[in-house]
Amino acid sequence: MYPRFRPLLRLFALLAWLPSAPLLAQPFVDLVDFPRNEANWDRFYTLESHLANRFDAVCADTLCEGDYSNLRALQLRCSVNATSGQVQACHWLFIASELQVAADTGVVLADNRRWDCPLPLGTGVAVEAFHASLERADALDVVLPGAAMSIGEAVGSCLQQTRQPERAAPAARYVDARDYPGPGQGRARFRALEQALVRGFDDICGDTFCEGEYYNLQAMRLRCSVHAASGRVGECRWTFAGSNMDVDAATGAVTVDARDWACRLPLASHTPLPLLLDTLQGPEAIYTALPGTSTTVYEGLTTCL
């Protein structure tokens, strides 16, 4: 080998080594990736699910009694100091949707909300201690070392920062489909329609809408307005939410990219509510052509989501 090529070969060898060198390691990593890439994947997502279940268990009798009764935990993300192994920051994202029928026009008004709630970590909470503390059955009552309040207290305070939705006027040309033909009389049948569509969405989302940036898309709430005198549908809106959270490797900050959608179902004008309720039933409801059209709910969602 010619001697003049040796320095060049050494340079190539150095460049090949540099990407894995400790000097290039970022100071903060996602908790999922501590102590190495995806090493904490299963344990973290199990913890996320556990905390969401605990929230669901207490919400019905507390925060979910208000205007945003379908509050749910959407995503949790935490950063870790890669050198010390201590949790740097955690953010828990929540969503809710409130839909109201405008009594004079029949327009369904969407009030979608999301809350980005930092968890009270205190100082010096090691990853193992963080997991061990929050894997308990009473996780929401836990006060982490150095924190001023429990996880549940911090989340409750965060979620109470709500804007009250405007109420529809009592005089009604249009009413909520759940209140047709009289107050509360359509609730059961409309709930059955909504559940059929949600089941259909959940079945197909993993291979369709949930393959993109917002992999955790969730169906939130469906509402339809009905002309009180004729029983014909004014419009229907279906709300959705999704998020994408990341850890800034330089600062340890948790960044949130959250979105919500209020999708109008592609109904034919003057669709009778009883016909709509009869049509959208069973496991294929999301694929069933809407009355008076050749369009399905699924096709309508593709233009919205």
Side-chain angles (χ1 to χ4, degrees), residues 243-262:
S243 65
N244 188 13
M245 300 174 75
D246 288 304
V247 168
D248 187 317
T251 66
V254 177
T255 60
V256 178
D257 174 21
R259 280 206 58 188
D260 56 72
W261 296 260

Side-chain angles (χ1 to χ4, degrees), residues 231-291:
R232 299 185 183 277
V233 179
E235 71 169 16
C236 294
R237 283 187 182 267
W238 197 3
T239 54
F240 299 84
S243 65
N244 188 13
M245 300 174 75
D246 288 304
V247 168
D248 187 317
T251 66
V254 177
T255 60
V256 178
D257 174 21
R259 280 206 58 188
D260 56 72
W261 296 260
C263 299
R264 184 182 285 109
L265 299 194
L267 298 175
S269 298
H270 310 303
T271 300
L273 177 63
L275 179 58
L276 181 65
L277 294 171
D278 288 341
T279 301
L280 298 184
Q281 294 186 24
E284 299 299 316
I286 200 167
Y287 291 124
T288 302
L290 291 162

Side-chain angles (χ1 to χ4, degrees), residues 33-240:
D33 297 320
F34 183 83
R36 59 189 180 280
N37 188 44
E38 296 187 357
N40 198 37
W41 182 282
D42 290 339
R43 192 176 187 188
F44 176 79
Y45 285 111
T46 298
L47 176 64
E48 181 183 37
S49 178
H50 169 64
L51 290 175
N53 289 337
R54 293 308 307 147
F55 176 81
D56 290 344
V58 302
C59 191
D61 297 325
T62 54
L63 296 163
C64 292
E65 288 187 322
D67 292 302
Y68 301 98
S69 60
N70 63 345
L71 262 172
R72 65 185 71 170
L74 182 62
Q75 192 173 7
L76 175 69
R77 187 63 83 243
C78 300
S79 62
V80 178
N81 186 309
T83 302
S84 67
Q86 295 176 346
V87 181
Q88 175 72 12
C90 281
H91 284 243
W92 204 0
L93 187 65
F94 294 83
I95 52 173
S97 180
E98 179 68 14
L99 296 176
Q100 296 285 341
V101 171
D104 54 342
T105 65
V107 172
V108 178
L109 305 173
D111 179 20
N112 294 333
R113 284 294 313 270
R114 54 180 177 265
W115 296 260
D116 176 8
C117 299
L119 299 192
L121 296 175
T123 58
V125 180
V127 167
E128 180 58 37
F130 177 80
H131 272 292
S133 297
L134 298 185
E135 287 168 349
R136 293 163 37 180
D138 60 346
L140 297 184
D141 297 325
V142 168
V143 179
L144 292 168
M149 63 180 71
S150 71
I151 300 294
E153 289 171 331
V155 168
S157 177
C158 175
L159 295 177
Q160 286 171 0
Q161 300 172 19
T162 62
R163 176 173 61 84
Q164 298 299 321
E166 295 182 2
R167 295 298 183 183
R173 287 180 57 214
Y174 289 87
V175 297
D176 190 310
R178 299 172 302 166
D179 295 322
Y180 182 83
Q185 293 180 10
R187 188 174 298 272
R189 289 203 68 193
F190 188 82
R191 179 61 176 158
L193 178 151
E194 183 178 23
Q195 288 176 329
L197 290 177
V198 170
R199 282 193 296 269
F201 179 82
D202 290 343
D203 287 344
I204 65 173
C205 193
D207 296 324
T208 55
F209 307 111
C210 293
E211 284 189 322
E213 183 178 3
Y214 302 100
Y215 69 91
N216 61 350
L217 269 173
Q218 292 191 32
M220 294 296 297
R221 181 157 279 173
L222 176 67
R223 288 290 179 270
C224 296
S225 64
V226 181
H227 189 259
S230 67
R232 299 185 183 277
V233 179
E235 71 169 16
C236 294
R237 283 187 182 267
W238 197 3
T239 54
F240 299 84

